[in-house]
Amino acid sequence: MPFQQTVWIARHGNRLDFVNPEWFNTAVRRYDPPLSEDGVIQAQQLGKRLQSEKIAHIFASPFLRTIQTANQVAEMLDLPIKLEAGLGEWHNPEWMSENPEIQPRELLEKDYPRIDWNYSSYLVPEYPENKTTMMMRMAKIVKQLVTNHSEDILLIGHGASVIGTTQGLIPKNPPFKASLCCLVKIVKEGNNWQIKLQGDTSHLTETEDDIRFV
């Protein structure tokens, strides 16, 4: 039987600043919003969808919304969370006026004990970052992760992460909408990667009408 590996890729759930745009004006870390209430529900539904899959490792962007999404899944799969900065948000100067500040370790340790602090990121993005650099980063990190981990893995990131890592494994894959808490499934059989699910949201009871990339 040929070697087979499955890579699952998911976007975080809905963000508090999408629901309450005023949050941004008074936030301490304005580019690192938490999930909204419905975003937490989406993350729980993602966890239920993946509960029976044979996922061995969860890698998440170090932004709070991706950690919170990963935490819901990790609770259901009983797995640790490895924070990988290479999966982090696109450091787009049109979206962010400065390098985005994220939650410090001391706060995350208190609230998210499933984080594996022994894990070190392979890649750390630099601000500012253009689209080409971001896509190269996503391709590089997904190739690094599948090279170093032969088991089935789950990557939880952002819209840019979902698109970039998918195209990193399948460069000719056509563009698709990476909506909130969507799911991609890519399977390697022998030396070939094939996409089985692309931006799937069938596990969600509520999906967005207007997909926002950020």
Side-chain angles (χ1 to χ4, degrees):
M1 183 176 179
F3 169 75
Q4 187 177 77
Q5 181 183 20
T6 299
V7 177
W8 299 90
I9 308 167
R11 188 181 177 187
H12 59 78
N14 199 10
R15 302 163 44 154
L16 181 59
D17 59 335
F18 282 6
V19 175
N20 178 19
E22 289 297 314
W23 175 90
F24 180 86
N25 298 325
T26 57
V28 176
R29 285 171 282 273
R30 57 187 183 161
Y31 298 118
D32 193 24
L35 294 177
S36 58
E37 287 186 14
D38 62 317
V40 173
I41 293 170
Q42 289 177 325
Q44 291 169 344
Q45 292 173 340
L46 176 65
K48 289 178 183 176
R49 165 65 182 83
L50 295 171
Q51 197 167 19
S52 61
E53 304 296 342
K54 297 177 181 179
I55 294 167
H57 302 279
I58 298 174
F59 299 92
S61 155
F63 285 75
L64 184 56
R65 56 193 179 275
T66 43
I67 293 171
Q68 290 178 327
T69 302
N71 192 63
Q72 294 292 340
V73 180
E75 286 288 326
M76 294 190 185
L77 274 61
D78 193 22
L79 288 172
I81 301 167
K82 298 176 174 67
L83 299 185
E84 175 51 63
L87 295 171
E89 182 63 280
W90 176 6
H91 286 33
N92 186 342
E94 294 183 7
W95 301 347
M96 307 167 176
S97 60
E98 73 269 349
N99 190 43
E101 182 184 352
I102 57 177
Q103 293 275 326
R105 175 172 173 170
E106 57 267 23
L107 291 182
L108 294 174
E109 280 182 326
K110 179 170 63 73
D111 294 333
Y112 305 100
R114 286 192 174 271
I115 295 175
D116 176 7
W117 294 104
N118 292 317
Y119 177 84
S120 296
S121 292
Y122 292 115
L123 284 174
V124 178
E126 295 183 5
Y127 178 91
E129 186 180 45
N130 62 34
K131 185 175 182 179
T132 300
T133 304
M134 178 273 292
M135 290 294 284
M136 289 174 61
R137 164 165 65 94
M138 296 302 178
K140 189 173 181 180
I141 190 58
V142 72
K143 289 174 183 175
Q144 183 81 58
L145 292 174
V146 298
T147 297
N148 288 24
H149 303 275
S150 59
E151 308 96 328
D152 292 359
I153 62 174
L154 168 65
L155 316 181
I156 298 181
H158 311 264
S161 317
V162 174
I163 300 296
T165 54
T166 298
Q167 291 193 348
L169 292 179
I170 309 177
K172 294 182 180 179
N173 189 67
F176 62 95
K177 297 290 188 180
S179 58
L180 293 167
C181 232
C182 71
L183 190 61
V184 172
K185 180 183 182 182
I186 303 176
V187 177
K188 185 178 187 181
E189 297 180 356
N191 294 319
N192 299 314
W193 290 101
Q194 296 184 342
I195 194 156
K196 303 294 186 180
L197 289 175
Q198 183 167 270
D200 182 54
T201 56
S202 61
H203 50 283
L204 303 177
T205 52
E206 290 189 22
T207 55
E208 56 194 320
D209 296 321
D210 182 23
I211 296 173
R212 298 172 63 173
F213 190 59
V214 298

